[in-house]
Amino acid sequence: MTTPPDNPQATPRVQIAVFSGPTATIGNSPDLVTSNKARRRHGLDPLTTLDGATPRFDLLRPQRLAAPVTVYVEAYTAHPLEADARELYALPDGWLNARGEFQSVEPDDGGTPVYEVELRPDDGLYPLPYMARQADGSAWDATTSFPFAPPAHSRQTFYPDARRVYEEIERFGLEDHGHPIDLSTRAKFDFFRPAPSGGYRTSHDDDGPESFGEDYFPYYPYHLQREPDLATLARATNLVQQVLACGDYIGAQWLEGSPTTEETLYWLALLVDTTVPIVGHTAQRRHQSASADGARNIIDGVKFLVSSAAVDVSGRNRLGAVLIVDELVYSAREVTKVDARPGGYEATGGHGGIVADMGVYGPPRVTYTPTYLHTHSSDVRLSHLPTTVSGVTGEPGEIRLVEITVKDADGYLVPDAMPVVSITKYGRYGRMSTGPDEAADTGSEVEVLGRIAANLVNAPLAGFVCEGMSPFGMSSPATNSALAIAVFSGMPVVRVGRGNTGGMAYRTDPVFISGSNLTSTKARMLLMAALLKLGTLPVAEDPTNPTLAERAATEQAVARYQHIFDTH
């Protein structure tokens, strides 16, 4: 999207990189449903609302004109009180007489005052009735041709990147004082697709067709939801690093689904070595829907980046990655989604988390600066990761170390080397005990032991996060014992409190990592990054019964992990 050439005063001053992430409501539109104009034209049953009522108005969707057309717009209809102040207006372009004919002079009977407007294809999108039907001539009532249809018989509601979203914001959005939204006059935008929500099923831009669930990741229609894997995260990280390293951009906007953006943003803040701000945006309601919140969040993100509020006096990012929603700026480390409604975000951890305010009509104002390391100062950023680290493989009782290449020759992540970190959660009142000497447990220790065995076969870089008692992070005795076996099998374990814990997880046992006040999902991301930096822990000859020397070696290795968790 570039600045219109016929507006010489609207030359973009800066450039912003916009990245499309997975399952993003902010880039998702309502289903394309056949309008009543089309239904009447083809003799189809009329459209009804979801509750079966007859709608008052027909559907209008943004579309492009194929040819110029002249229309007559009734004057004084843009607001209920326009006609009340008609003496303030210039004369209209003309009038339509009783036969609907245009006249430049007001008819004796008054006629209808009108403005004559030529609508042209190069004007941009216009809201128009949606006339499309299915291949068999029937109306579209949903995104799929029939209920629970496979991808081949389903359309997509997600945009392939954010280009169209930004165009529609500018085309249809209004500032509070009636002026247009000026995104393209404030910045030039380049759009990238590291893990988009929508994709091309046929060849596009000389590229081959994209694979559903491999190249793009929707959540709607719900039965076709697809989730990105660790390799996708690695490739996305590499693309963000590559784009921002070129030096052309003052910052980046990352668009993703609201339940998971907090994780991705924190990950990018840990791994991407850049001095420019990274801002994330989500939406609780689909683009174009009533009270859609995504457009405002995007506008605020552009305002925030252009303002330079996030950078220090030397021009370097001082806030890390942030989430900008609902006119507030949250640190990626501390924000989490708690409800599917505007305002459904909280600053977790009990120690702040909101770092700036968008300022409404004024400029954004930074109120707190995080002390944790991030982006250009992070100890686990891409440029500071080793090329190889040690991993573990084998089977319980016969574990051996292997060398794992985590970065390629160009310094980017190797997707197949991404660490696997599992979360286990503590809950009281588990299965029944068989006697006074056996404590009741949830059975999670069986899952941990099974995951240890699977990791040794499939994931040489692996670890665990125990979401335990708040704030201590401990679980039941049986699960604690199973997690200790993981530790002495080379797999680090982080302990965090349950839910949104405000207290710091205490380091009650030096072979476990204290996750401070991180949520379990954030601790998972940090442990993945730390594994890429430090590799596996020492392996005990018998992980169920380590020697004192083996325990001391593990404590020393865990201390390096602990330093990362204390500072990031």
Side-chain angles (χ1 to χ4, degrees), residues 72-75 91-97 101-107 110-116:
Y72 297 106
V73 179
E74 185 176 349
L91 290 176
D93 296 327
W95 289 261
L96 297 184
N97 61 25
E101 299 167 334
F102 179 79
Q103 297 181 199
S104 58
V105 178
E106 185 175 2
T112 302
V114 296
Y115 301 112
E116 185 178 35

Side-chain angles (χ1 to χ4, degrees), residues 180-537:
I181 302 294
D182 62 343
L183 295 183
S184 61
T185 64
R186 305 182 75 177
K188 179 182 180 296
F189 301 93
D190 290 330
F191 299 92
F192 301 92
R193 307 177 63 237
S197 306
Y200 298 96
R201 296 176 184 168
T202 57
S203 297
H204 175 73
D205 291 342
D206 298 326
D207 295 326
E210 294 181 329
S211 299
F212 178 72
E214 295 181 14
D215 299 305
Y216 59 98
F217 309 93
Y219 68 76
Y220 186 87
Y222 298 119
H223 67 286
L224 298 180
Q225 177 182 350
R226 293 296 184 274
E227 286 289 314
D229 58 13
L230 288 170
T232 302
L233 177 61
R235 290 190 290 268
T237 307
N238 293 339
L239 179 59
V240 175
Q241 178 66 72
Q242 181 181 13
V243 169
L244 297 186
C246 74
D248 293 340
Y249 302 100
I250 64 163
Q253 292 178 282
W254 177 275
L255 313 181
E256 189 178 332
S258 54
T260 54
T261 312
E262 60 201 57
E263 298 168 54
T264 308
L265 283 177
Y266 184 47
W267 172 263
L268 295 176
L270 295 170
L271 270 291
V272 177
D273 190 355
T274 182
T275 59
V276 302
I278 300 173
V279 302
H281 305 297
T282 67
Q284 305 281 28
R285 296 168 180 157
R286 291 202 237 184
H287 182 64
Q288 299 178 355
S289 64
S291 297
D293 52 320
R296 182 75 255 172
N297 295 335
I298 287 172
I299 294 167
D300 283 344
V302 175
K303 174 183 176 182
F304 187 74
L305 289 172
V306 171
S307 75
S308 299
V311 300
D312 59 23
V313 293
S314 63
R316 296 160 67 89
N317 177 21
R318 56 179 173 155
L319 300 179
V322 297
L323 178 69
I324 299 181
V325 290
D326 305 329
E327 301 185 35
L328 292 173
V329 185
Y330 294 86
S331 169
R333 186 185 185 276
E334 276 85 22
V335 68
T336 192
K337 176 182 175 179
V338 296
D339 197 2
R341 58 177 173 79
Y345 304 89
E346 284 188 5
T348 58
H351 301 278
I354 297 176
V355 296
D357 180 274
M358 285 308 303
V360 192
Y361 297 113
R365 292 188 59 182
V366 173
T367 52
Y368 294 97
T369 303
T371 60
Y372 290 103
L373 302 179
H374 59 77
T375 55
H376 56 85
S377 65
S378 170
D379 287 340
V380 291
R381 62 192 188 273
L382 270 173
S383 62
H384 277 47
L385 295 181
T387 301
T388 63
V389 297
S390 295
V392 289
T393 189
E395 58 185 46
E398 297 182 5
I399 302 173
R400 64 183 185 277
L401 297 179
V402 291
E403 186 177 77
I404 305 298
T405 300
V406 296
K407 287 199 313 187
D408 62 22
D410 296 320
Y412 294 110
L413 293 177
V414 176
D416 291 341
M418 288 290 284
V420 173
V421 174
S422 305
I423 298 175
T424 181
K425 188 176 178 72
Y426 165 73
R428 181 158 284 173
Y429 308 116
R431 60 178 173 81
M432 297 294 292
S433 62
T434 58
D437 295 329
E438 181 183 353
D441 195 77
T442 61
S444 59
E445 80 281 5
V446 177
E447 299 174 7
V448 171
L449 294 173
R451 175 50 57 188
I452 292 172
N455 287 343
L456 290 172
V457 175
N458 300 313
L461 291 177
F464 291 85
V465 173
C466 176
E467 184 179 336
M469 304 175 188
S470 290
F472 313 103
M474 294 182 295
S475 187
S476 65
T479 301
N480 289 336
S481 298
L483 290 171
I485 293 173
V487 169
F488 293 108
S489 298
M491 304 172 198
V493 175
V494 180
R495 285 175 167 176
V496 295
R498 188 164 59 179
N500 174 10
T501 176
M504 302 290 180
Y506 299 116
R507 199 173 182 203
T508 55
D509 187 334
V511 301
F512 291 100
I513 304 163
S514 165
S516 64
N517 62 338
L518 290 170
T519 62
S520 59
T521 51
K522 299 286 179 62
R524 174 177 175 261
M525 306 311 284
L526 183 52
L527 183 55
M528 287 165 53
L531 279 160
L532 292 171
K533 172 80 172 184
L534 301 175
T536 188
L537 296 175

